[in-house]
Amino acid sequence: MDWLVSLAKFLVNEVLSQPAYLIGLITAAGLIALRKPAGQVVAGAVKSTLGFLLIGAGAGLVVKSLGPLGEMIQGATGAHGVIPTNEAIVGIAQAQYGARVAWLMILGFGISLLLARFTPLRYVFLTGHHMLFMATLLTMVLATAGLPPAAVVTIGGVLLGIVLVSMPAFAHPWTRRVTGNDSVAIGHFGTAGYVVAGAAGQLVGRRSRSTEDMKLPEGLRFLRDSMVATALSMVLIYVLMAVGYLVKAGREAAFKAFAAEGGTAAGGVGDYVMQAVMQGLQFGIAVAVILFGVRTILGELVPAFQGIAHKVVPGAVPSLDAPIVFPYAQNAVLLGFVFSFLGGLVGLGLLSAVLGPAFGLSLVLPGLVPHFFTGGAAGVFGNATGGRRGAAVGAFLNGLLITFLPALLLKVLGAFGEENTTFGDADFGWFGSLTGNAAKAGGAGGVVLLLLIGAVVLGGAVVVQKRVVARGWDPGARRDAFFPKGGPPPGDSGDADAATRTYGRIAPPPGAPTPPPPPTREP
């Protein structure tokens, strides 16, 4: 049995948990199914793999540039508590439950493919690291509740398979509003935040213009370049927080902030300020790399996936990582990041003053990385249905969710709740809390509750797919009445191109393919 465990660990840790490899294999399989020449199969697989590696490289640059800023914010505000970091808590849990996580993930992915083949939920979840995170979470909460290993793997695998096909379905009306078609779905466990952001945009932003149509004086037109705007905004934030940290903590502590993430401590005030400027510019580069990676993979994966749709899972839709929506509204990404982080700060204040003392909840500090990726995506979803106001309000609500939900999740993690870190995205919080509390019932009752939760989630997703997604419901239809195609006259917008711009929908990014009409699905 040792060799089976080793094989399972290899498949999970070296292949399935690596999105680049998984996407490359899926792309190759799709092109083979389409009977493309060997050279085109190899080229497509390599390009899609490189696209995901570009996204990962950009994400790494984001994490590196945000490391010192996080320390500065904590030092300047004096906040202390738990910092949600998916990778950290998964690493801690793998040391104890590695084999169970491996088997659970393999079983869950297999069940998700069966569900995609034989139910209306034709979503194939391809964000490998999030599969690993959810598999680890389910292993932790079920094992902590006392379930035997076989039950952990079996029940956890069923639950994982269900959420892999269900969460993309719940978000898809809003995802389709962003992308304009059914070519891709969102495969990221921040779904609750994205749905809330899209719904909030519907409520508050019917007459609010898109973040991509900001009115700028002629002298500031350069800010319409998203890379320039992102870099300059982050430079401003970085310098302000650096100065605040320097004033409060003093030179010795402040200069060491840049030693985080492998950097070099500042040698003086001038060096300190200029390092802050450089980190802000590096952040702009990181976002540009992510966007290029997304465009690369869209150009290869979507056409290849049509082969899988025809041969393996009819009507299959690839569910991809959150940055897949970033190119559709690049200004909304930055706005969403800022307002999500503000929501995290407000949530931290509420936990400290009210919810913590009343319910014994831990303080959850706003981690910049989850707020950038989930907040940025929430900003895109909010903008799609509610313009600038929707992006701001939706991202703010996302910030509250990823502050409160991790605090609730800590209650069911047992000894892992004392590790000063936890899972950071919204779906981990609500789904982990539900399954963890159900498992605590113990025995047959606990198993029945867990399966009931899975059945409710799956049933709800099927209803949404058949009655909402398949019928073409558009969550931004009312907004289109105020911003029809063509928009207002050029004189009203300050933009000579306004007469030809579509305000109701966000245009696809350059390089995004136009897929053929989706196959007719049975009701």
Side-chain angles (χ1 to χ4, degrees):
M1 287 297 293
D2 289 344
W3 70 271
L4 279 176
V5 173
S6 298
L7 177 61
K9 286 184 176 181
F10 172 79
L11 291 174
V12 167
N13 296 325
E14 307 301 335
V15 180
L16 295 180
S17 65
Q18 302 296 324
Y21 295 153
L22 185 60
I23 292 299
L25 292 172
I26 292 293
T27 302
L31 293 174
I32 291 171
L34 290 174
R35 299 182 179 179
K36 297 295 183 182
Q40 188 172 343
V41 171
V42 173
V46 171
K47 285 186 70 175
S48 62
T49 299
L50 291 176
F52 255 79
L53 289 175
L54 282 168
I55 295 175
L61 289 173
V62 166
V63 172
K64 184 176 181 179
S65 66
L66 291 179
L69 183 59
E71 182 176 342
M72 290 176 183
I73 291 173
Q74 291 180 43
T77 61
H80 297 280
V82 175
I83 303 177
T85 308
N86 295 330
E87 292 80 3
I89 190 65
V90 166
I92 294 170
Q94 283 276 355
Q96 184 172 347
Y97 297 125
R100 271 176 271 187
V101 170
W103 287 114
L104 192 155
M105 181 173 172
I106 293 173
L107 177 61
F109 187 57
I111 289 175
S112 76
L113 293 179
L114 291 175
L115 291 172
R117 177 65 179 85
F118 296 108
T119 73
L121 305 176
R122 308 296 195 190
Y123 304 98
V124 178
F125 200 99
L126 297 178
T127 311
H129 59 293
H130 263 239
M131 274 194 279
L132 176 62
F133 296 163
M134 183 61 81
T136 305
L137 170 64
L138 289 170
T139 301
M140 291 167 65
V141 296
L142 298 182
T144 298
L147 270 67
V152 169
V153 172
T154 304
I155 298 172
V158 171
L159 293 174
L160 177 61
I162 288 172
V163 296
L164 291 180
V165 296
S166 297
M167 302 317 297
F170 287 126
H172 201 61
W174 291 273
T175 306
R176 185 168 56 192
R177 173 71 185 179
V178 170
T179 64
N181 54 55
D182 290 307
S183 59
V184 295
I186 196 77
H188 187 273
F189 288 124
T191 309
Y194 310 146
V195 171
V196 167
Q202 292 174 251
L203 293 175
V204 305
R206 186 165 53 174
R207 303 190 186 201
S208 177
R209 300 201 183 280
S210 170
T211 57
E212 311 311 292
D213 297 312
M214 292 183 176
K215 300 176 184 178
L216 295 171
E218 189 64 31
L220 297 178
R221 288 292 291 270
F222 68 93
L223 291 177
R224 292 190 64 85
D225 186 315
S226 63
M227 184 168 66
V228 174
T230 300
L232 290 180
S233 300
M234 286 304 297
V235 166
L236 179 61
I237 293 171
Y238 233 115
V239 170
L240 289 176
M241 294 310 304
V243 171
Y245 187 37
L246 178 64
V247 171
K248 182 169 183 178
R251 294 191 178 191
E252 183 177 354
F255 289 174
K256 293 179 180 178
F258 289 108
E261 300 294 336
T264 304
V269 174
D271 183 31
Y272 178 73
V273 173
M274 292 312 297
Q275 284 204 47
V277 172
M278 182 58 69
Q279 291 292 343
L281 296 175
Q282 291 282 0
F283 187 91
I285 294 173
V287 174
V289 171
I290 290 174
L291 295 178
F292 183 71
V294 168
R295 291 175 181 136
T296 300
I297 195 170
L298 275 177
E300 297 300 325
L301 179 63
V302 174
F305 216 82
Q306 294 161 14
I308 297 175
H310 289 300
K311 300 292 184 179
V312 183
V313 182
V317 179
S319 302
L320 303 173
D321 204 352
I324 207 73
V325 301
F326 284 6
Y328 293 91
Q330 297 172 27
N331 294 337
V333 174
L334 181 61
L335 189 67
F337 168 44
V338 172
F339 276 89
S340 180
F341 186 75
L342 288 176
L345 290 177
V346 172
L348 174 63
L350 292 174
L351 283 173
S352 177
V354 181
L355 300 177
F359 301 102
L361 298 178
S362 300
L363 299 184
V364 175
L365 302 182
L368 291 179
V369 173
H371 280 286
F372 172 72
F373 287 105
T374 67
V380 175
F381 277 78
N383 177 67
T385 57
R388 303 168 205 171
R389 195 177 302 138
V393 174
F396 183 86
L397 294 176
N398 175 78
L400 292 177
L401 281 178
I402 63 173
T403 301
F404 296 145
L405 290 175
L408 293 173
L409 179 61
L410 286 169
K411 292 285 190 178
V412 299
L413 293 183
F416 292 101
E418 301 174 2
E419 295 289 349
N420 292 324
T421 188
T422 186
F423 293 89
D425 302 328
D427 296 341
F428 297 127
W430 72 263
F431 194 67
S433 297
L434 279 179
T435 53
N437 283 299
K440 285 184 177 180
V447 172
V448 170
L449 286 175
L450 289 167
L451 295 177
L452 181 61
I453 290 171
V456 169
V457 171
L458 181 63
V462 170
V463 170
V464 169
Q465 181 66 31
K466 295 178 71 173
R467 298 190 178 183
V468 180
V469 176
R471 294 182 181 181
W473 177 67
D474 183 355
R478 292 200 305 169
R479 175 175 167 76
D480 289 346
F482 289 94
F483 298 106
K485 186 173 183 179
D492 292 343
S493 68
D495 186 346
D497 299 326
T500 60
R501 180 179 293 115
T502 298
Y503 280 78
R505 287 192 180 278
I506 301 168
T514 302
T520 304
R521 299 175 184 173
E522 297 181 1

